[in-house]
Amino acid sequence: MIMQTPIPRRRFLRGSGAVLGLPWMASMAKTMAGPRPQDSSSAGRSGDEPQPPLRTAFLYFPNGVWEKDWVPGTEGADYELSPSLEPLADLKDDFLVLSGLDKKHSHGGDGHYAKTANYLTGMPVAKTTGKDISSGGVSIDQLIAAKVGNQTPLPSLELGIDPVISGIDSNVGYTRLYGSHISWQSPTRPVAKAINPRVVYERLFGKRMKTSTPEARSYQNLLDYVLEDAHRVRSKLSRDDQFKMDEYLDSVREVEKRIEFATRDQSHRERYEAERDRIADGHAMEIPETGTPGDFREHIDLMLDMMVLAFQTDSTRVASFMFANDVSGRSFSFLDGVNGGHHELSHHENKEEKIAQYQLINRWHTEQFGRMLRKMKAIQEGDSTLLDNSMILFGSSFSDGNRHDPDNLPLLLAGRGGGTIQPGRHIAAKGQVPVCNLYLSMAKRYGLDLERFGDSEHELTELAGA
């Protein structure tokens, strides 16, 4: 896509076809000629000093949660973390627990597809087995990207782990395509998600990677191409920003090495073949291309790390990520005490032995979310952090996996939205409150002039606190 707004030269390192974005640094921000043109992502901020941009991500995990271990028992700032949220104890002041938000248009249809496809639209999903698909509307991430996407090299970044599952779920009469997408450019056009870390890396940094094979011993990684430019830029930075730049380059090098290892490791095909039926719940699924880690935990780590890099370098300001496709039956037997597949255990039938395993899977997903937040919190941007300048939504498309209930969605919102959100609280909505109220509030923070989004009634004003 052609960029409509020039990107400042000093935000990138260049060399022999490689383009490596740099993180936001005070030294460099002060050398720019004022704020970026039409930069609405800093809406609501004050002062003449250049401000870091606002970033937003939407993270999805399938199959709901065990609500009794997810929703805190009390509201406000003094709430106690529930068992599923305990891995976030050190981050309690950095996120909001949101309960009581509903998707009334998901009550019809099947248990999964009519709820996952509209995770970010909130509108009715068309029941179909063919080409006449509809998610009910444009997803909120794509609406924001349409506003600010011309200010970054990538308008948005859609990531996932599982390939698209094709075919029809004859049990419910829905196309399985609905279970593979949460981002929609239009009601009838889902946005393709990238699942290969190597491809994502090349999209971010503009240089194709090669494996360290005997035939490619002379190959240099991306960092080697831009080191001369890096040394030149580094000499002009303050001491603090020099340290920040060194840390950043080290993190890029680490990602390069992990992707190269995955590219050389051919065992991923055997692992996916062994796991495929459980992941797709018995339906056909393609095996990912070379460059995809065989261990899905490493796969998730890589994708989330690259999302952080994309935000850190202002390569994009909007992203989405699917921990797995809808109806995922992936085995979590690597967790002590878990023996079954995710989807099977989510249908717990109120049996204690299944509930205990289901809750451990919920808790594991929360741990991965926490890992990402800690990385973002450690990245300084002037007097704030990357996490402070973000809105990171984490949740599922329905609550209890056994009931497939689209009300009381399990949602966490991390970050301070550039100073417009007061985290550290449990906000419990009362009555039938549309989740689209939240989405409207997030869009407004990007300066979108909207009266409503989806079935929203008004903004969720509680985000800003007292």
Side-chain angles (χ1 to χ4, degrees), residues 141-425:
D141 63 316
Q142 293 305 298
L143 190 69
I144 295 173
K147 173 70 174 179
V148 301
N150 64 341
Q151 298 166 15
T152 53
L154 297 176
S156 60
L157 186 64
E158 293 74 34
L159 304 178
I161 298 299
D162 297 335
V164 172
I165 300 176
S166 58
I168 301 167
D169 190 328
S170 57
N171 293 321
V172 293
Y174 277 80
T175 171
R176 287 183 168 268
L177 178 71
Y178 281 144
S180 300
H181 298 283
I182 59 172
S183 295
W184 295 79
Q185 195 171 58
S186 76
T188 59
R189 183 182 298 176
V191 183
K193 63 188 178 187
I195 66 171
N196 190 323
R198 178 176 173 177
V199 172
V200 175
Y201 186 91
E202 291 168 358
R203 282 185 64 195
L204 288 176
F205 302 130
K207 190 73 181 181
R208 295 189 64 82
M209 297 183 70
K210 299 179 182 178
T211 59
S212 299
T213 62
E215 293 78 16
R217 286 173 181 166
S218 63
Y219 172 72
Q220 294 173 301
N221 280 341
L222 181 144
L223 280 184
D224 298 316
Y225 283 101
V226 300
L227 278 179
E228 182 177 348
D229 200 15
H231 291 314
R232 182 185 61 79
V233 172
R234 187 181 185 280
S235 65
K236 300 178 181 180
L237 300 176
S238 66
R239 181 176 299 178
D240 287 346
D241 282 348
Q242 286 181 353
F243 179 73
K244 180 187 294 186
M245 184 171 177
D246 291 343
E247 280 191 326
Y248 164 67
L249 295 179
D250 286 344
S251 66
V252 173
R253 178 72 82 189
E254 179 193 4
V255 167
E256 282 187 333
K257 290 179 179 179
R258 289 159 65 193
I259 294 175
E260 278 201 75
F261 178 81
T263 301
R264 295 194 303 269
D265 181 14
Q266 297 300 310
S267 64
H268 79 286
R269 297 187 64 88
E270 297 176 3
R271 294 171 186 168
Y272 267 95
E273 284 175 348
E275 184 76 358
R276 179 167 52 185
D277 285 345
R278 287 193 295 269
I279 297 172
D281 217 32
H283 289 256
M285 187 183 77
E286 297 178 0
I287 296 175
E289 300 173 359
T290 299
T292 301
D295 188 326
F296 88 99
R297 291 167 290 181
E298 169 63 9
H299 195 172
I300 287 173
D301 285 351
L302 261 177
M303 298 305 253
L304 293 180
D305 284 354
M306 282 191 288
M307 183 184 291
V308 173
L309 283 176
F311 284 159
Q312 184 180 9
T313 58
D314 204 22
S315 297
T316 191
R317 297 176 188 175
V318 184
S320 64
F321 176 72
M322 297 183 73
F323 278 90
N325 287 343
D326 184 29
V327 203
S328 172
R330 185 183 296 279
S331 171
F332 278 78
S333 58
F334 62 88
L335 295 175
D336 289 340
V338 178
N339 300 312
H342 191 185
H343 183 221
E344 172 197 359
L345 293 171
S346 72
H347 287 269
H348 50 74
E349 304 171 292
N350 292 315
K351 295 179 179 177
E352 291 186 8
E353 65 274 15
K354 282 191 172 184
I355 290 172
Q357 297 179 70
Y358 184 34
Q359 192 274 339
L360 288 173
I361 296 174
N362 294 159
R363 188 181 176 101
W364 182 85
H365 280 110
T366 303
E367 290 171 353
Q368 311 320 303
F369 180 55
R371 176 184 174 276
M372 176 184 174
L373 298 187
R374 292 181 189 96
K375 289 184 73 75
M376 296 180 68
K377 189 174 181 178
I379 297 172
Q380 288 294 132
E381 294 188 330
D383 295 331
S384 58
T385 69
L386 176 59
L387 182 56
D388 292 333
N389 298 311
S390 299
M391 298 183 290
I392 312 297
L393 186 70
F394 170 75
S396 194
S397 55
F398 51 77
S399 49
D400 184 88
N402 198 55
R403 301 192 316 270
H404 299 137
D405 189 349
D407 296 338
N408 194 23
L409 297 173
L411 298 171
L412 307 178
L413 181 65
R416 286 176 167 76
T420 67
I421 295 173
Q422 181 185 335
R425 297 172 292 143

Side-chain angles (χ1 to χ4, degrees), residues 8 11 24-37 39 41-43 45-55 244 317 381-384 389 418:
R11 297 301 300 272
W24 193 95
M25 292 183 279
S27 303
M28 303 183 79
K30 291 176 182 178
T31 66
M32 296 181 192
R36 296 178 192 165
D39 189 346
S41 68
S42 296
R45 306 186 188 195
S46 60
D48 298 328
E49 289 293 315
Q51 297 293 327
L54 178 62
R55 294 80 151 194
K244 180 187 294 186
R317 297 176 188 175
E381 294 188 330
D383 295 331
S384 58
N389 298 311

Side-chain angles (χ1 to χ4, degrees), residues 422-451:
Q422 181 185 335
R425 297 172 292 143
H426 170 207
I427 299 176
K430 302 297 190 297
Q432 298 293 315
V433 180
V435 68
C436 286
N437 285 6
L438 168 64
Y439 298 154
L440 177 65
S441 304
M442 297 174 76
K444 289 280 191 178
R445 282 164 169 76
Y446 277 93
L448 274 78
D449 185 18
L450 298 174
E451 290 187 6

Side-chain angles (χ1 to χ4, degrees), residues 103 105-106 108-118 123 125 174 178:
K103 281 195 298 163
H105 293 298
S106 290
D110 76 304
H112 287 262
Y113 304 108
K115 301 173 179 65
T116 294
N118 73 352
M123 296 302 284
V125 173
Y174 277 80
Y178 281 144

Side-chain angles (χ1 to χ4, degrees), residues 14-155:
R14 301 177 186 271
S16 187
V19 180
L20 180 63
L22 284 173
W24 193 95
M25 292 183 279
S27 303
M28 303 183 79
K30 291 176 182 178
T31 66
M32 296 181 192
R36 296 178 192 165
Q38 302 176 352
D39 189 346
S40 59
S41 68
S42 296
R45 306 186 188 195
S46 60
D48 298 328
E49 289 293 315
Q51 297 293 327
L54 178 62
R55 294 80 151 194
T56 298
F58 299 87
L59 278 59
Y60 159 90
F61 59 89
N63 301 327
V65 299
W66 175 238
E67 287 182 280
K68 293 181 180 180
D69 275 354
W70 180 277
V71 181
T74 56
E75 304 175 30
D78 296 328
Y79 78 95
E80 291 187 10
L81 288 167
S82 61
S84 291
L85 304 184
E86 285 175 354
L88 303 175
D90 61 312
L91 296 162
K92 188 180 178 184
D93 292 337
D94 296 296
F95 69 92
L96 290 168
V97 181
L98 303 174
S99 63
L101 298 181
D102 305 333
K103 281 195 298 163
K104 68 179 181 181
H105 293 298
S106 290
H107 282 282
D110 76 304
H112 287 262
Y113 304 108
K115 301 173 179 65
T116 294
N118 73 352
Y119 176 58
L120 299 181
T121 74
M123 296 302 284
V125 173
K127 184 175 182 179
T128 178
T129 59
K131 297 180 180 179
D132 52 337
I133 60 173
S134 176
S135 66
V138 177
S139 57
I140 187 61
D141 63 316
Q142 293 305 298
L143 190 69
I144 295 173
K147 173 70 174 179
V148 301
N150 64 341
Q151 298 166 15
T152 53
L154 297 176

